[in-house]
Amino acid sequence: MNALELPQGLAPQACMPLLDYVTGPRAQFLTGQVLRLAVTLDDTENDSAME
Protein backbone atom coordinates (compact mmCIF):
# COMPACT_ATOMS: atom_id res chain seq x y z
CA MET A 1 0.00 0.00 0.00
CA ASN A 2 1.33 3.39 -0.91
CA ALA A 3 -1.08 5.66 0.95
CA LEU A 4 -4.01 5.73 3.32
CA GLU A 5 -6.26 8.78 3.16
CA LEU A 6 -8.45 9.44 6.18
CA PRO A 7 -11.30 11.95 6.18
CA GLN A 8 -11.22 14.66 8.82
CA GLY A 9 -13.04 13.76 11.98
CA LEU A 10 -12.72 10.00 11.55
CA ALA A 11 -12.12 8.28 14.87
CA PRO A 12 -8.83 6.31 14.85
CA GLN A 13 -10.69 3.27 16.21
CA ALA A 14 -12.71 3.16 12.99
CA CYS A 15 -9.50 2.31 11.08
CA MET A 16 -8.58 -0.75 13.13
CA PRO A 17 -10.23 -3.39 10.89
CA LEU A 18 -8.46 -1.96 7.85
CA LEU A 19 -5.11 -1.73 9.64
CA ASP A 20 -5.48 -5.32 10.87
CA TYR A 21 -6.03 -6.39 7.26
CA VAL A 22 -3.15 -4.46 5.66
CA THR A 23 -0.68 -5.66 8.29
CA GLY A 24 -1.72 -9.29 7.95
CA PRO A 25 -0.77 -12.07 5.53
CA ARG A 26 -3.93 -11.68 3.43
CA ALA A 27 -2.66 -8.33 2.14
CA GLN A 28 0.61 -9.68 0.76
CA PHE A 29 -0.44 -8.85 -2.81
CA LEU A 30 -1.86 -5.42 -2.00
CA THR A 31 0.63 -3.18 -3.80
CA GLY A 32 0.52 0.26 -5.36
CA GLN A 33 -2.83 1.19 -3.85
CA VAL A 34 -4.22 4.38 -2.38
CA LEU A 35 -6.97 3.51 0.06
CA ARG A 36 -9.52 6.26 0.65
CA LEU A 37 -11.85 5.84 3.59
CA ALA A 38 -15.26 7.47 3.58
CA VAL A 39 -17.44 8.38 6.50
CA THR A 40 -21.09 7.38 6.17
CA LEU A 41 -23.95 8.89 8.09
CA ASP A 42 -24.11 5.80 10.31
CA ASP A 43 -20.38 6.15 11.16
CA THR A 44 -20.76 9.76 12.29
CA GLU A 45 -23.81 8.94 14.39
CA ASN A 46 -21.95 6.12 16.13
CA ASP A 47 -18.88 8.29 16.77
CA SER A 48 -20.89 11.11 18.30
CA ALA A 49 -22.78 8.65 20.49
CA MET A 50 -19.49 7.33 21.88
CA GLU A 51 -18.24 10.76 23.01
Side-chain angles (χ1 to χ4, degrees):
M1 179 174 63
N2 291 343
L4 176 60
E5 292 184 13
L6 302 177
Q8 290 183 341
L10 181 66
Q13 299 86 349
C15 301
M16 292 310 295
L18 174 62
L19 295 176
D20 286 341
Y21 171 75
V22 299
T23 59
R26 295 181 297 162
Q28 66 182 344
F29 299 108
L30 181 64
T31 60
Q33 301 297 312
V34 175
L35 301 178
R36 292 177 180 92
L37 301 182
V39 176
T40 63
L41 181 59
D42 289 339
D43 291 340
T44 56
E45 289 175 357
N46 289 339
D47 289 343
S48 62
M50 294 177 68
E51 292 177 359

